[in-house]
């Protein structure tokens, strides 16, 4: 099967820092692929390069087997690549449908677009009122608006950068149900996170970054959280052990490295 997306030896440098260093990965149609790493590992920079919001210094990007030369977000959207940023780009003072209309290509009809938004959001179990003002929406509802905006373009690849960082546990459950449905319909998903439990629950595969480099890959459901964490941080994690309290003595706290 031809990968939906393939990265070959992507490098990106900024003054004083190497953000991405020789990164390669691939994602198949209908696959939920995690890019896992600590803050500062280079995850967000890599996603911006894929989406065309940043330019790699070297390396190749292939979409459905075809090489992408110089590209920008408009080119990516035309190819079916959509991205939901960690910090939403919505105008607070206007309605949901007006926000989405601003991102649409070509002419649009607001009443017709409102019907499409309502139908699509209900289809995926995340109903949205197109007439509501964004400043009246919760954080979870704002994320729904961003996702619906992407889905209206019929994406082949959806990139989500730290999508649960501001969500409640209930909203996370709903988000995962939506992503599983999208994957079942053939949409590939790049899921950027540093949360091990979420990646192990949701994702089919994972590429782990540390200090801008790939340190390993895994099937998250087959790996333990400790194994994934070791790839993320490059060392064993400390464990906490509390000695039983003695009479009139304070508990003694020891820190031991996992074997």
């Amino acid at each position: 099967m031809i990968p939906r997306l393939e990265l070959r030896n992507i490098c990106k440098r900024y003054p004083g820092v190497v953000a991405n260093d020789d990164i390669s990965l691939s994602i198949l149609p209908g696959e939920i692929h995690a890019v896992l790493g600590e803050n500062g590992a280079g995850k967000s920079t890599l996603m911006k390069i894929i989406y065309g919001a940043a330019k790699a210094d070297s390396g190749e990007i292939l979409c459905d087997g075809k090489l992408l030369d110089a590209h920008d977000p408009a080119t990516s959207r035309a190819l079916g690549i959509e991205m939901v940023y960690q910090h939403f780009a919505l105008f607070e003072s206007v309605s949901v449908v007006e926000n989405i209309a601003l991102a649409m290509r070509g002419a649009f009809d607001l009443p017709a677009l409102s019907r499409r938004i309502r139908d699509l959001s209900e289809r995926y179990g995340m109903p949205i009122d197109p007439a509501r003002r964004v400043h009246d929406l919760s954080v979870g509802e704002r994320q729904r608006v961003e996702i619906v905006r992407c889905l209206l373009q019929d994406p082949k690849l959806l990139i989500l950068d730290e999508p649960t960082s501001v969500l409640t546990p209930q909203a996370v459950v709903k988000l995962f149900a939506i992503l599983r449905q999208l994957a079942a319909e053939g949409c590939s998903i790049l899921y950027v996170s540093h949360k091990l439990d979420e990646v192990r629950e949701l994702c089919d595969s994972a590429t782990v970054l540390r200090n801008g480099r790939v340190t390993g890959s895994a099937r998250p459901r087959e790996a333990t959280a400790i194994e994934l964490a070791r790839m993320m941080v490059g060392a064993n994690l400390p464990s906490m052990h509390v000695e039983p309290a003695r009479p009139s003595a304070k508990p003694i706290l020891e820190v031991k490295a996992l074997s």
Side-chain angles (χ1 to χ4, degrees), residues 69-233:
D69 197 1
H71 73 294
D72 55 21
T75 306
S76 296
R77 290 193 296 270
L79 292 169
I81 300 173
E82 294 285 346
M83 181 168 177
V84 177
Y85 286 93
Q86 181 177 0
H87 303 292
F88 310 138
L90 297 172
F91 294 98
E92 299 256 343
S93 60
V94 299
S95 67
V96 169
V97 66
E98 290 168 328
N99 265 280
I100 292 177
L102 290 170
M104 302 291 287
R105 296 189 299 270
F108 55 83
D109 178 275
L110 283 182
L113 182 57
S114 293
R115 290 191 293 272
R116 290 182 63 197
I117 292 170
R118 196 181 301 275
D119 292 344
L120 187 65
S121 64
E122 290 178 354
R123 172 186 168 190
Y124 286 97
M126 49 178 180
I128 296 171
D129 180 357
R132 288 185 67 187
R133 302 278 179 179
V134 168
H135 61 64
D136 293 328
L137 301 180
S138 68
V139 172
E141 289 171 326
R142 295 182 189 206
Q143 185 181 67
R144 292 183 185 184
V145 174
E146 291 276 21
I147 293 174
V148 167
R149 175 189 60 77
C150 293
L151 297 186
L152 285 168
Q153 307 299 323
D154 193 23
K156 295 180 179 180
L157 172 66
L158 180 61
I159 304 169
L160 297 112
D161 189 4
E162 301 284 0
T164 65
S165 60
V166 292
L167 297 184
T168 64
Q170 295 82 0
V172 171
V173 171
K174 292 180 180 179
L175 174 64
F176 283 9
I178 294 166
L179 298 182
R180 292 187 182 103
Q181 184 175 349
L182 286 171
E185 295 173 357
C187 180
S188 301
I189 296 170
L190 266 176
Y191 186 89
V192 181
S193 182
H194 62 273
K195 298 181 179 180
L196 300 177
D197 291 341
E198 290 182 1
V199 168
R200 294 180 67 224
E201 178 183 348
L202 176 69
C203 299
D204 304 310
S205 56
T207 297
V208 185
L209 302 184
R210 183 175 73 248
N211 297 328
R213 304 202 63 167
V214 174
T215 57
S217 60
R219 294 284 179 182
R221 296 186 185 94
E222 300 172 6
T224 66
I226 292 176
E227 290 169 338
L228 294 173
R230 283 172 177 161
M231 285 189 279
M232 284 175 58
V233 303

